[in-house]
Short mmCIF file of all heavy atoms in Angstrom, two decimals:
data_model
loop_
_atom_site.label_atom_id
_atom_site.label_comp_id
_atom_site.label_asym_id
_atom_site.label_seq_id
_atom_site.Cartn_x
_atom_site.Cartn_y
_atom_site.Cartn_z
N ILE O 1 162.11 91.90 164.53
CA ILE O 1 161.11 92.83 164.02
C ILE O 1 159.75 92.55 164.64
O ILE O 1 159.30 91.40 164.67
CB ILE O 1 161.01 92.72 162.48
CG1 ILE O 1 162.36 93.02 161.83
CG2 ILE O 1 159.93 93.67 161.94
CD1 ILE O 1 162.39 92.75 160.34
N LEU O 2 159.09 93.61 165.11
CA LEU O 2 157.71 93.52 165.58
C LEU O 2 156.82 94.26 164.59
O LEU O 2 157.09 95.40 164.24
CB LEU O 2 157.56 94.15 166.97
CG LEU O 2 156.12 94.21 167.52
CD1 LEU O 2 155.61 92.81 167.82
CD2 LEU O 2 156.05 95.09 168.77
N ILE O 3 155.74 93.59 164.16
CA ILE O 3 154.77 94.21 163.27
C ILE O 3 153.47 94.40 164.04
O ILE O 3 152.82 93.42 164.42
CB ILE O 3 154.52 93.35 162.02
CG1 ILE O 3 155.83 93.17 161.24
CG2 ILE O 3 153.43 93.97 161.14
CD1 ILE O 3 155.71 92.24 160.05
N THR O 4 153.09 95.64 164.31
CA THR O 4 151.81 95.88 164.97
C THR O 4 150.70 95.81 163.92
O THR O 4 150.88 96.22 162.78
CB THR O 4 151.78 97.26 165.67
OG1 THR O 4 151.82 98.29 164.68
CG2 THR O 4 152.96 97.40 166.62
N GLY O 5 149.55 95.28 164.33
CA GLY O 5 148.50 95.00 163.35
C GLY O 5 148.89 93.84 162.46
O GLY O 5 148.50 93.77 161.28
N GLY O 6 149.63 92.91 163.02
CA GLY O 6 150.21 91.80 162.25
C GLY O 6 149.21 90.78 161.74
O GLY O 6 149.58 89.93 160.92
N CYS O 7 147.98 90.85 162.21
CA CYS O 7 146.94 89.94 161.69
C CYS O 7 145.94 90.69 160.81
O CYS O 7 144.88 90.15 160.48
CB CYS O 7 146.22 89.23 162.84
SG CYS O 7 147.28 88.09 163.73
N GLY O 8 146.27 91.91 160.46
CA GLY O 8 145.46 92.66 159.50
C GLY O 8 145.92 92.34 158.08
O GLY O 8 146.82 91.52 157.87
N PHE O 9 145.32 92.99 157.13
CA PHE O 9 145.64 92.74 155.71
C PHE O 9 147.10 93.02 155.40
O PHE O 9 147.84 92.14 154.93
CB PHE O 9 144.72 93.60 154.83
CG PHE O 9 145.17 93.77 153.42
CD1 PHE O 9 145.44 92.67 152.62
CD2 PHE O 9 145.34 95.04 152.87
CE1 PHE O 9 145.86 92.82 151.31
CE2 PHE O 9 145.75 95.21 151.57
CZ PHE O 9 146.02 94.09 150.78
N VAL O 10 147.55 94.25 155.66
CA VAL O 10 148.93 94.61 155.35
C VAL O 10 149.90 93.89 156.26
O VAL O 10 150.90 93.30 155.81
CB VAL O 10 149.14 96.14 155.45
CG1 VAL O 10 150.61 96.49 155.24
CG2 VAL O 10 148.29 96.87 154.41
N GLY O 11 149.63 93.90 157.56
CA GLY O 11 150.55 93.31 158.53
C GLY O 11 150.82 91.84 158.31
O GLY O 11 151.97 91.38 158.38
N SER O 12 149.77 91.06 158.05
CA SER O 12 149.94 89.61 157.87
C SER O 12 150.71 89.30 156.58
O SER O 12 151.61 88.45 156.57
CB SER O 12 148.59 88.90 157.86
OG SER O 12 147.77 89.37 156.80
N ASN O 13 150.35 90.00 155.49
CA ASN O 13 151.09 89.79 154.24
C ASN O 13 152.55 90.18 154.39
O ASN O 13 153.45 89.49 153.88
CB ASN O 13 150.44 90.60 153.12
CG ASN O 13 149.25 89.89 152.50
OD1 ASN O 13 149.39 88.90 151.79
ND2 ASN O 13 148.06 90.39 152.78
N LEU O 14 152.80 91.26 155.10
CA LEU O 14 154.18 91.72 155.30
C LEU O 14 154.97 90.74 156.17
O LEU O 14 156.12 90.40 155.85
CB LEU O 14 154.17 93.10 155.94
CG LEU O 14 155.53 93.73 156.23
CD1 LEU O 14 156.34 93.88 154.96
CD2 LEU O 14 155.35 95.09 156.92
N ALA O 15 154.35 90.27 157.26
CA ALA O 15 155.04 89.33 158.15
C ALA O 15 155.44 88.06 157.41
O ALA O 15 156.57 87.57 157.53
CB ALA O 15 154.14 88.99 159.34
N ILE O 16 154.52 87.53 156.63
CA ILE O 16 154.79 86.30 155.88
C ILE O 16 155.84 86.54 154.80
O ILE O 16 156.73 85.71 154.57
CB ILE O 16 153.47 85.75 155.28
CG1 ILE O 16 152.58 85.24 156.41
CG2 ILE O 16 153.74 84.64 154.26
CD1 ILE O 16 151.16 84.95 156.01
N TYR O 17 155.76 87.69 154.14
CA TYR O 17 156.76 88.03 153.12
C TYR O 17 158.16 88.13 153.73
O TYR O 17 159.14 87.58 153.18
CB TYR O 17 156.38 89.35 152.45
CG TYR O 17 157.39 89.84 151.45
CD1 TYR O 17 157.30 89.48 150.11
CD2 TYR O 17 158.44 90.67 151.84
CE1 TYR O 17 158.23 89.93 149.18
CE2 TYR O 17 159.38 91.12 150.92
CZ TYR O 17 159.27 90.74 149.59
OH TYR O 17 160.22 91.18 148.68
N LEU O 18 158.29 88.83 154.85
CA LEU O 18 159.60 88.99 155.48
C LEU O 18 160.16 87.65 155.97
O LEU O 18 161.35 87.38 155.85
CB LEU O 18 159.50 89.97 156.65
CG LEU O 18 159.13 91.42 156.29
CD1 LEU O 18 159.06 92.27 157.55
CD2 LEU O 18 160.12 92.02 155.30
N LYS O 19 159.27 86.82 156.50
CA LYS O 19 159.69 85.49 156.96
C LYS O 19 160.18 84.65 155.79
O LYS O 19 161.25 84.01 155.86
CB LYS O 19 158.50 84.81 157.63
CG LYS O 19 158.79 83.40 158.15
CD LYS O 19 159.42 83.41 159.52
CE LYS O 19 159.50 82.01 160.09
NZ LYS O 19 160.01 81.99 161.47
N LYS O 20 159.42 84.65 154.71
CA LYS O 20 159.75 83.86 153.53
C LYS O 20 161.09 84.29 152.93
O LYS O 20 161.89 83.47 152.48
CB LYS O 20 158.64 83.99 152.49
CG LYS O 20 158.90 83.23 151.20
CD LYS O 20 157.78 83.44 150.20
CE LYS O 20 158.05 82.70 148.90
NZ LYS O 20 156.96 82.93 147.90
N ASN O 21 161.33 85.60 152.93
CA ASN O 21 162.55 86.13 152.32
C ASN O 21 163.69 86.33 153.31
O ASN O 21 164.70 86.95 152.97
CB ASN O 21 162.22 87.45 151.61
CG ASN O 21 161.37 87.25 150.38
OD1 ASN O 21 161.87 86.90 149.31
ND2 ASN O 21 160.07 87.43 150.52
N LYS O 22 163.49 85.81 154.52
CA LYS O 22 164.52 85.81 155.55
C LYS O 22 165.05 87.21 155.85
O LYS O 22 166.26 87.43 155.95
CB LYS O 22 165.67 84.87 155.15
CG LYS O 22 165.23 83.42 154.97
CD LYS O 22 166.38 82.51 154.57
CE LYS O 22 165.89 81.07 154.40
NZ LYS O 22 166.98 80.17 153.97
N ILE O 23 164.10 88.14 155.96
CA ILE O 23 164.44 89.51 156.36
C ILE O 23 164.27 89.60 157.86
O ILE O 23 163.16 89.64 158.38
CB ILE O 23 163.53 90.54 155.66
CG1 ILE O 23 163.47 90.30 154.16
CG2 ILE O 23 164.02 91.96 155.98
CD1 ILE O 23 164.81 90.35 153.46
N GLY O 24 165.35 89.60 158.59
CA GLY O 24 165.29 89.55 160.05
C GLY O 24 165.33 88.11 160.53
O GLY O 24 164.82 87.21 159.86
N ASN O 25 165.92 87.91 161.68
CA ASN O 25 166.02 86.54 162.21
C ASN O 25 164.85 86.18 163.12
O ASN O 25 164.70 85.02 163.50
CB ASN O 25 167.34 86.35 162.97
CG ASN O 25 167.50 87.32 164.13
OD1 ASN O 25 166.78 88.31 164.21
ND2 ASN O 25 168.43 87.04 165.02
N LYS O 26 163.99 87.16 163.42
CA LYS O 26 162.79 86.88 164.20
C LYS O 26 161.71 87.90 163.85
O LYS O 26 161.94 89.11 163.91
CB LYS O 26 163.09 86.92 165.70
CG LYS O 26 161.92 86.46 166.57
CD LYS O 26 162.35 86.33 168.02
CE LYS O 26 163.21 85.09 168.22
NZ LYS O 26 163.53 84.85 169.65
N ILE O 27 160.53 87.39 163.48
CA ILE O 27 159.38 88.24 163.14
C ILE O 27 158.25 87.94 164.12
O ILE O 27 157.82 86.79 164.23
CB ILE O 27 158.87 87.98 161.70
CG1 ILE O 27 160.01 88.04 160.68
CG2 ILE O 27 157.75 88.97 161.36
CD1 ILE O 27 160.60 89.38 160.47
#
C-alpha cells in the first residue's frame, strides 16, 4: 500500500493505524 500525503494529518495516522493492525504486508 502507498499512501500519498503520508506525512499529513490523515495520511500519517492512517499509515500508523494500518501498520499497527497489520493491514497489508508493506506500507
Side-chain angles (χ1 to χ4, degrees):
I1 301 172
L2 175 68
I3 300 175
T4 67
C7 293
F9 163 55
V10 175
S12 61
N13 277 288
L14 180 59
I16 291 167
Y17 176 90
L18 296 179
K19 180 84 172 185
K20 179 182 179 181
N21 291 279
K22 299 180 180 179
I23 310 301
N25 59 344
K26 188 172 286 186
I27 309 291

